[in-house]
Amino acid sequence: MFLSRIQLLLFLLLIGTGLTARADQGVVPTNRTLEFNTKIKPFLSKYCYDCHGEGSAKGKVSLDDPQRGAHQMGNRELWLQIWENLRSDLMPPAKKEQPEMVKRQEVIQWIERNVFLLDHENPDPGRITMRRLNRVEYSHTIQDLLGIDFNVTDNFPPDDTGYGFDTIGDVLTISPLLMEKYFSAAEQIMKKAIPEEVGRPQPLSIAPNEFRQEGNNSRTARFMRAGINHTVRNDWEANIKGAHHLKVNYEITGKASAQNYTSTWQVSIDGEKHESREISLSKSKTGTINLNLDLSADMHRIEFGMFPNNGDVNNNVPLAVKVLKVEITGPAGSIDWGAYPKSYRLIFSSGPPPKNPTERDLYTKKLLNRIASRAFRRPVNKDTLNRLIGLAKAKESAPDGTYEAGIRLALTAVLSSPPFLLRGEESIDGNNEEQTIDEYSLASRLSYFLWSSTPDAPLLKLAAQGKLRANLRNTVDRMLKESKSDRLIDNFVGQWLLTRDVEGKFFDTPHILGIDDGNKARQIFNLFTRQDMKRETELFFKHILMENRPAIELVTANYSFINNRLANFYGIKGFEGKEFRKVNFEGSTRPGGILTHGSFLVVTSNPTRTSPVKRGLFVIDNLLGVPNSAAPPNVPELEETRQKIGKDATMRELMELHRAKPLCRSCHARMDPIGLALENYNAIGQRLEKKGEEIFDTSGVLVTGEKFEGISELKKIIAGPRKKDFHRCLTEKLFTYALGRGVEYYDSPVVNKIIKEAENKGGGLKEFIYALIESVPFQRRRADQAN
């Protein structure tokens, strides 16, 4: 209770607010009604009214409705639909007359300036909600801060997600129950980081068989027969002068025929007898000898001697002493610093605490200042530091208190406090509408984006010097070269491309492969196969990122990273070697790019079959960012449709019948062609030439009008006329993950600027990251709303 109350008190003393909010503001153009009537309405009348005006309202959208039509510029919901469909080329439909691209862009920009009231020169940085560390961030932060691996899965509930990611501030809240779990976790972590026994001399064990008789190595302390006069010895070196403790555990063993026989067993150090025991069956069967010794820092001889009583020597006496354990504990200060736990050395980084009270106080202040500043991700303020020092001293001076116990308590409070658990941000300018965040906040945004963890010392040093903004790109390069950047791939790619789901997805593998032998099916597709698939996608993304290859290569690349096991699964001939390496697929039947990665094909399949809908929807949502509606209720399963038209129906026939329903048509027209282009890959990612007698028809037409024959041509379309959609979708995914909020309509100027800057420099994946971290939303925040 004492600890919990102190932690709670510190929590209340340190807690602050950092929630930011702002009402949407903008200057309403005085001539927008006139421009709507003269420029925009004629455009809508020419290209949109056939379906959405003059009595038509397809999709329940009427642009000339007297009450809710486009002339009502306050109807944000309607204008968002118009804007999204225009910029994705979904409207007008491909079969209708299309406006010139310049005219389309003029209308899009008019909507942004006159309806959304966006200032392209001064974009809104958006609202960032103060949020807690998610489980992954908490785990990595503890690991980097203290060198401790903490099992967050067993100790915290799963994180909620939003917009496809678990970094979203609006869902990362703290309940009272979760706060209790944080208190408990902090105690567990600090007990592990500073173990109670640490700092005390630890015993050194000498194996009993290392004690041998001179001239007869077969006799050891493991079995010393009572009827033989002999001595076994071991030479041991003390590293430091002072008080040592020798502990010997032994056992007496013998048969009934040795009932009346006795012997003397003794322990000697450097030829001097220190302990002597009578050995007989009437004595206790086990015993312990404890000796306190004042030894020099030198070599010392430890001896165990057996001396038969009355000089009676009999080699056949069935009585003996078995030495079980020999331990020597040195004096305090005899422990080599390198033998301390890593976590202890990270915390007490200047070496063991000094004994001088004045020096120790200074040591404590420096220690707590350093760790609290790393944990809080900015310099700890004076009042908080003094409270932490007070906690440490109070615990040290308590009954049975120690210096380590005081530090343990103070750091437990640090790990339970809001500045550690919550990511708040401070600004460097006044109360203007938008504020530039200070460089410590910028360092945190960078480190949690690229490392899912707290800033390291070089990052904080740049922030302290006010030089981080001036060295952003060099800093990003350094951070990406660190092994910790693999966390970006684990967490961003794991959620964006769903590689997190590969290992846990259930499949009826025998059914998919068409074999009855479950063991044989598992030999073909198993956990190792899934892990290889996940690794392939991770290495592929990492290569494109580190080499700053064009981001579109994620789709179009004619190479990947595989090992022999994955090559065999994919049916790629001539590959040898257990290690993953880059392989060019030129001339191969298996195209490169993530659309043919096993990871993508697996996570977008059903347990017993492929799913063109899931595969198409994945591409729409995660690669193209095309607007899509939620599925209507009570949609029948595909198996029900198959029963109606026959078991021999092809997947394409089933999807065409499904798509014929008015409620399903618009969405499936977007998804199905993409999913059917991959129908020659089965549910577990193997390429098939045909299914029975059916030769796969992988041709299709995108809703935007582009025709293709198979996945190779589809990839060319994504890299051609639809590359703008891919770049926008990639940017929005990075934006959402990095900033912890969804992309809003008012972010359009920023997203467009990021894309333009990246494309002007070749469209490299790293260029998108550079442009993102230099953008207004990453560098600034809305001013705090007045109370």
Side-chain angles (χ1 to χ4, degrees), residues 569-622:
F569 179 80
Y570 285 159
I572 298 172
K573 306 298 182 183
F575 185 95
E576 296 181 0
K578 296 180 180 179
E579 300 300 319
F580 278 85
R581 69 173 187 268
K582 183 182 176 184
V583 175
N584 193 306
F585 289 151
E586 196 70 41
S588 170
T589 58
R590 190 176 190 93
I594 56 177
L595 291 179
T596 53
H597 278 202
S599 61
F600 159 73
L601 296 165
V602 162
V603 298
T604 55
S605 293
N606 287 328
T608 60
R609 61 170 176 82
T610 60
S611 174
V613 172
K614 288 183 178 179
R615 289 177 176 178
L617 184 60
F618 179 98
V619 173
I620 287 174
D621 285 347
N622 293 289

Side-chain angles (χ1 to χ4, degrees), residues 226-229 261-264 306-315:
I228 302 173
N229 189 330
Y261 195 88
T262 63
S263 185
T264 300
M306 183 67 76
F307 304 100
N309 288 349
N310 302 319
D312 186 6
V313 178
N314 185 340
N315 290 339

Side-chain angles (χ1 to χ4, degrees), residues 228-290:
I228 302 173
N229 189 330
H230 66 290
T231 300
V232 296
R233 58 180 60 88
N234 179 273
D235 292 332
W236 171 79
E237 184 176 9
N239 293 324
I240 190 170
K241 180 181 182 298
H244 289 70
H245 181 79
L246 175 67
K247 180 179 180 181
V248 181
N249 293 330
Y250 65 90
E251 176 186 30
I252 299 175
T253 181
K255 296 182 179 180
S257 57
Q259 192 70 40
N260 298 321
Y261 195 88
T262 63
S263 185
T264 300
W265 186 65
Q266 67 182 34
V267 180
S268 301
I269 310 295
D270 296 330
E272 179 182 351
K273 182 174 69 175
H274 280 262
E275 183 77 17
S276 181
R277 298 278 174 94
E278 184 181 72
I279 304 302
S280 72
L281 289 181
S282 62
K283 301 292 184 180
S284 173
K285 293 295 186 293
T286 59
T288 301
I289 292 176
N290 288 286

